[in-house]
């Protein structure tokens, strides 16, 4: 538990820092720069730590730990923009800390890591279905369409940690390779959907819906499909901890939105570069 939680929190720090660096790089240099290469390296290191977390703790703990990246981004954004966090944001940070503590206390054993043919097919079906729904939602130019795209982006991003479970005890057979391929598919799909969401909705609305579903989907799948455990009699505490943590993350998405107000040397390239 200590190793898994520590890896998740360290990954959250890297992801939070990468989000800020990516925003700065996009506004100063566009999509292609050495700074963007640094962002990619940071994300890759974070993904490696996320893999460690998935191996040692249930998905619902790992995902809430990763969601703490929004705390890091909000704190750094407040310094960059020069505006202190509001009291509600500090309450949200406290809620995430308390919620994660409750989840850690309630966590049981980690479930299975093996992917059957049915589970692998479900992953690919999830990619296709999310893509089709995303194409339909992309035709909606309203704020509501942006929120829907944020939800679908969260579902796509939530698919990556599920598929990453195949790499916990990897082999060179189809049972590892086939599900592992969807890690990248879900990641690219999530990035595209979130980018579209930011073009149609506010950063707060798009990010809040994304954070909610990229945390909720893996947690539910981990419990229902892979058998992630909760300590006997601790289900109410685990539920409260999860809900409180996610609500805190949703509130903090408003603080993360301050990144769009950064003033840098060149014109913004668009909110679609924030992830």
């Amino acid at each position: 538990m200590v190793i898994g939680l520590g890896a998740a929190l360290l990954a959250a720090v890297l992801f939070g820092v990468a989000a800020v660096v990516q925003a700065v790089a996009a506004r100063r240099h566009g999509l292609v720069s050495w700074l963007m290469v640094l962002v990619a390296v940071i994300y890759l290191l974070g993904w490696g730590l996320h893999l460690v977390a998935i191996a040692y703790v249930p998905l619902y703990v790992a995902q809430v730990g990763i969601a703490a990246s929004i705390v890091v981004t909000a704190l750094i954004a407040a310094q960059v923009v020069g505006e202190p966090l509001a009291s509600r944001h500090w309450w949200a940070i406290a809620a995430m800390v308390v919620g994660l503590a409750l989840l850690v206390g309630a966590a049981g054993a980690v479930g299975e890591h093996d992917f059957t043919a049915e589970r692998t097919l479900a992953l690919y079906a999830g990619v296709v279905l999310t893509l089709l729904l995303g194409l339909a939602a992309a035709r909606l130019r309203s704020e509501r369409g942006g929120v829907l795209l944020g939800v679908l982006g969260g579902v796509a991003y939530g698919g990556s940690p599920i598929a990453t479970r195949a790499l916990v005890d990897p082999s060179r057979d189809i049972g590892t390779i086939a599900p592992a391929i969807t890690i990248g598919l879900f990641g690219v799909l999530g990035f595209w959907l979130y980018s579209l969401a930011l073009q149609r909705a506010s950063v707060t609305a798009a990010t809040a819906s994304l954070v909610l579903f990229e945390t909720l989907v893996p947690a539910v799948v981990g419990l229902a499909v892979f058998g992630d455990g909760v300590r006997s009699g601790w289900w109410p505490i685990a539920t409260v901890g999860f809900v409180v943590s996610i609500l805190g993350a949703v509130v903090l998405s408003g603080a993360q939105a301050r990144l769009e107000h950064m003033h840098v040397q060149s014109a913004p390239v668009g909110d679609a570069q924030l992830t």
Side-chain angles (χ1 to χ4, degrees), residues 43 99 125-126 128 161 189 201 227 235 241 246-247:
Y43 275 128
V128 173
L189 181 57
W235 268 100
I246 299 308
L247 289 177

Side-chain angles (χ1 to χ4, degrees), residues 131-223:
L131 173 60
L132 293 176
L133 292 174
L135 290 172
R139 302 178 65 180
L140 303 175
R141 300 290 176 175
S142 63
E143 173 87 7
R144 183 177 300 179
V147 173
L148 178 57
L149 286 165
V151 169
L152 292 172
V155 172
Y157 276 140
S160 286
I162 296 172
T164 298
R165 205 153 192 170
L167 299 180
V168 170
D169 187 17
S171 61
R172 297 181 180 179
D173 58 20
I174 193 68
T176 295
I177 297 173
I181 291 174
T182 65
I183 297 172
L185 296 178
F186 276 121
V188 171
L189 181 57
F191 180 84
W192 175 66
L193 292 170
Y194 184 44
S195 298
L196 291 179
L198 289 169
Q199 293 175 349
R200 292 161 172 75
S202 67
V203 173
T204 301
T207 303
S209 55
L210 180 126
V211 168
L212 174 62
F213 279 86
E214 75 174 347
T215 310
L216 181 62
V217 170
V220 172
V221 172
L223 290 166

